[in-house]
Each structure stands twice: as C-alpha cells, then as structure tokens.
Amino acid sequence: MKYILYLFLFLISLSCSKGQGDFLELGKSEVIKNHFDRDDIRELNKILKFFDDHVCNSVEIETENLDECYKAFFSKNIDESGKGNFFINIPYEKQLDLFNEITPSLFEKIWYFAKTWTHDVGDTLKTLNLKTKGPYPSLLKEIAQRNKGIEYYYNALINAGTISPSMIGNFTYNSSKYDIRKPEIRLIFAIHYLTLYDQYLRSKKYE
C-alpha cells in the first residue's frame, strides 16, 4: 500500500514539473558561452529570470509551468496585436530597477541610447535601441545560422538599425515556432520585449 502511495505521489510530481524541467539554464548554453563570459552570463540571467517571472505574473493564469505561461503570453500578444497594441504587463519602475542592477558593461553589449523626436512632447527624447555590432548581435548571427526565424530577425535588425514593424510581427505571429525551452531563445524574446516596452514608456529628454 505504501508503494502505491509513493508511486502516486511520484507521478503527481512528474505531472507538475512537466515542461519546467525541460528548460535549460542559460549558463549551459554553448552558443551563449561563445559570446559572453561568466560575469556577463550572470547578468544575463538576471534579465532572463526577470522576464520569465513577469511573463507568468502578467498572464494571470493559475500555473507555475513556464511553458504554459509563455503560451498564454504569446496568445495574449496576438490578441492585442489585432487591436494595434502589444502586450507586456510589467511595472516599468521594476524594469528600470533591472536596468540599474545589471552592470553597465553588459548593458552596453546589448543596447545603446539614441535620439528620437516626438510631437507629443515636442522635444528630443532618449530611445533605447539594440546594437548592431558587438556580442549580442553576434549571438543573433550565430543562432540565425540554424534558425530561420532568428535569421529573419537578425537581418531585419542589421538593415533597419532598430526593431522594425516586421520584426515585431515575426515574433508576434510566429512565436509558436520558437523553442522556448532553449534559454538563448527566451533571452532574445526577453530583450526584444523589454526594448519595445522601454521605447513605449521612456520619456526622458536626451542630454
């Protein structure tokens, strides 16, 4: 009888963890290690964990299964896109705290600040952009060699110099084609959406 009880509990635990245990750690990704050192990976983990946590919080479903959280998040983005919006329910103050927490050296391997003019404010503002040279675009380039979606994303970034509408559409409507169990893929999604969200909400003047 005890054996049957233990077997039942074991099967329940497998059911609860299904999908979660398949998610690899960022530090075990060989492609990540090709472009970032150990200190960088520690900082990248902060970005990935922040985004993973908020994806699950933002979709408001009763699960801790990361796979289910991302599926719900992608579905919500498709729904919002039909209304002309994009969905990312993260308190912007917490995102700014994240940016302040990661080292400047890692931040500068991914992003830079450019100028943008907005008629609403009537002034030149800071806007966050992805870099087109350096470790992060090099990571995209290597992944692009075996992933058609990232190949499209990388080439569009190089050609446009920023996140273009076609890149947004690619991630929104083709999200189910990406293997989010791979930490490098989730990291790319995290950086993509955090960049968009910052561009949407940042209102600081360029000095």
Side-chain angles (χ1 to χ4, degrees), residues 154-171:
Y154 169 75
N155 288 333
L157 174 63
I158 297 303
N159 291 331
T162 188
I163 295 179
S164 65
S166 66
M167 293 163 69
I168 298 171
N170 171 45
F171 269 11

Side-chain angles (χ1 to χ4, degrees), residues 128-139:
L128 190 68
N129 266 334
L130 295 177
K131 287 197 168 180
T132 56
K133 292 182 180 179
Y136 183 65
S138 295
L139 170 69

Side-chain angles (χ1 to χ4, degrees), residues 9-24:
L9 292 174
F10 175 71
L11 292 174
I12 290 293
S13 67
L14 282 180
S15 175
C16 291
S17 62
K18 187 178 179 181
Q20 194 81 12
D22 295 336
F23 283 71
L24 301 177

Side-chain angles (χ1 to χ4, degrees), residues 24-171:
L24 301 177
E25 296 178 9
L26 196 62
K28 294 182 179 179
S29 169
E30 292 300 322
V31 68
I32 289 287
K33 291 190 284 188
N34 288 344
H35 301 277
F36 295 96
D37 62 27
R38 185 166 54 185
D39 290 338
D40 288 335
I41 293 172
R42 184 177 61 248
E43 299 301 300
L44 290 171
N45 262 317
K46 295 177 184 178
I47 296 174
L48 185 55
K49 185 179 186 310
F50 176 87
F51 193 72
D52 281 348
D53 290 346
H54 282 286
V55 162
C56 284
N57 291 336
S58 67
V59 294
E60 298 178 349
I61 59 176
E62 294 183 4
T63 181
E64 294 182 359
N65 185 297
L66 202 52
D67 185 50
E68 294 301 321
C69 289
Y70 269 89
K71 286 178 181 177
F73 174 76
F74 292 147
S75 177
K76 186 70 174 176
N77 261 299
I78 292 174
D79 291 342
E80 289 297 318
S81 178
K83 305 172 187 175
N85 303 319
F86 72 92
F87 174 78
I88 177 169
N89 189 19
I90 294 176
Y92 185 54
E93 296 78 12
K94 291 187 177 180
Q95 180 170 324
L96 292 179
D97 288 342
L98 171 70
F99 286 165
N100 289 327
E101 184 180 344
I102 61 177
T103 60
S105 61
L106 186 278
F107 187 95
E108 291 167 3
K109 290 175 182 177
I110 302 171
W111 293 289
Y112 73 99
F113 285 108
K115 298 178 181 179
T116 185
W117 173 264
T118 171
H119 293 285
D120 295 339
V121 179
D123 208 340
T124 302
L125 303 179
K126 272 186 174 182
T127 184
L128 190 68
N129 266 334
L130 295 177
K131 287 197 168 180
T132 56
K133 292 182 180 179
Y136 183 65
S138 295
L139 170 69
L140 293 175
K141 184 177 182 180
E142 181 175 348
I143 297 174
Q145 295 172 8
R146 53 183 180 275
N147 185 305
K148 290 296 183 182
I150 300 301
E151 179 184 19
Y152 180 89
Y153 188 90
Y154 169 75
N155 288 333
L157 174 63
I158 297 303
N159 291 331
T162 188
I163 295 179
S164 65
S166 66
M167 293 163 69
I168 298 171
N170 171 45
F171 269 11

